[in-house]
Amino acid sequence: MSTKAPRRGRRPGSPDTRAAILTAARQRFAQQGYAATSVRGIATAAGVDSALVHHYFGTKEDLFVASLELRVDPRDVVPVVAAGGRDGVGERLVRLLLSIWDDEESRLPLMALMRSAFEPEGKALVPDAFGRLILAPVSEALELDEPERRITLVASQLVGLVALRYIARIEPLASAPVDTLVATYAPVVQGYLTGPLP
């Protein structure tokens, strides 16, 4: 008769474990930001091994995207926006942003993400999601000078647009046609991305 030694180590993978990893990741990324958050720290908080985190989610960036619970992977936006080079990039970026936010299924998790930006424990999520996953790769693909400054200026316009149109629902912005908003915001965003900065 053989007796099995008791299992040691952290709990094995299961749907509950996957959910625990996502919860721990969301909390860590929100509180500490992407750069200061480690997979090891997330694993410890979730009560699993780092290898299990990688097994479920792949890289740290993949885990970050999964923790946002968005319908659209922000990384898929970069080739669309960067296609065609610098000319018209402002229009492509504004139009794509509005098309994602105007989709009801995409809007709910995005609204939760935006609201988190105004809470102390979630203030790092929006800059990391928007800046790190979309604007920084776009600026790199277009080889822009002063990328950090340009990204901050673009974010100020687009985050403001989203907050007023979709969160606060301020008129006439809330009901303005997409083409009107693109015509209004695209030249400003284009200038911030490719024009001379004072």
Side-chain angles (χ1 to χ4, degrees):
M1 179 175 158
S2 66
T3 59
K4 289 186 178 178
R7 285 182 115 175
R8 294 172 21 165
R10 299 174 190 265
R11 65 176 182 265
S14 71
D16 288 344
T17 303
R18 190 178 191 282
I21 294 169
L22 276 177
T23 298
R26 199 171 300 116
Q27 290 171 347
R28 291 285 177 121
F29 285 131
Q31 292 166 359
Q32 301 175 349
Y34 183 89
T37 298
S38 68
V39 171
R40 183 184 300 273
I42 291 168
T44 300
V48 300
D49 291 318
S50 297
L52 193 57
V53 176
H54 289 296
H55 169 74
Y56 272 123
F57 297 101
T59 66
K60 176 181 165 181
E61 186 171 274
D62 292 332
L63 176 57
F64 178 62
V65 171
S67 75
L68 297 175
E69 296 185 319
L70 303 178
R71 189 164 172 245
V72 176
D73 187 330
R75 296 170 295 184
D76 295 338
V77 170
V78 174
V80 176
V81 174
R86 296 183 181 196
D87 291 342
V89 65
E91 179 175 345
R92 291 192 300 274
L93 185 55
V94 173
R95 194 173 290 282
L96 186 63
L97 178 82
L98 292 170
S99 72
I100 291 170
W101 273 89
D102 280 344
D103 178 71
E104 275 191 46
E105 288 185 45
S106 297
R107 192 182 312 137
L108 288 177
L110 285 168
M111 286 179 76
L113 177 63
M114 280 295 294
R115 287 190 178 106
S116 74
F118 301 100
E119 300 167 1
E121 65 274 12
K123 62 183 179 182
L125 279 179
V126 170
D128 280 337
F130 196 57
R132 167 177 274 282
L133 296 179
I134 300 174
L135 293 180
V138 166
S139 71
E140 187 177 324
L142 299 178
E143 299 180 341
L144 303 180
D145 64 318
E146 299 189 73
E148 288 184 9
R149 190 171 169 213
R150 292 182 183 279
I151 286 170
T152 303
L153 292 169
V154 170
S156 72
Q157 291 297 305
L158 299 185
V159 172
L161 169 59
V162 164
L164 293 177
R165 179 174 170 86
Y166 300 100
I167 309 295
R169 301 211 44 84
I170 302 294
E171 292 293 355
L173 211 56
S175 58
V178 167
D179 286 342
T180 300
L181 294 174
V182 170
T184 303
Y185 280 85
V188 178
V189 171
Q190 183 75 38
Y192 283 154
L193 284 171
T194 64
L197 296 178

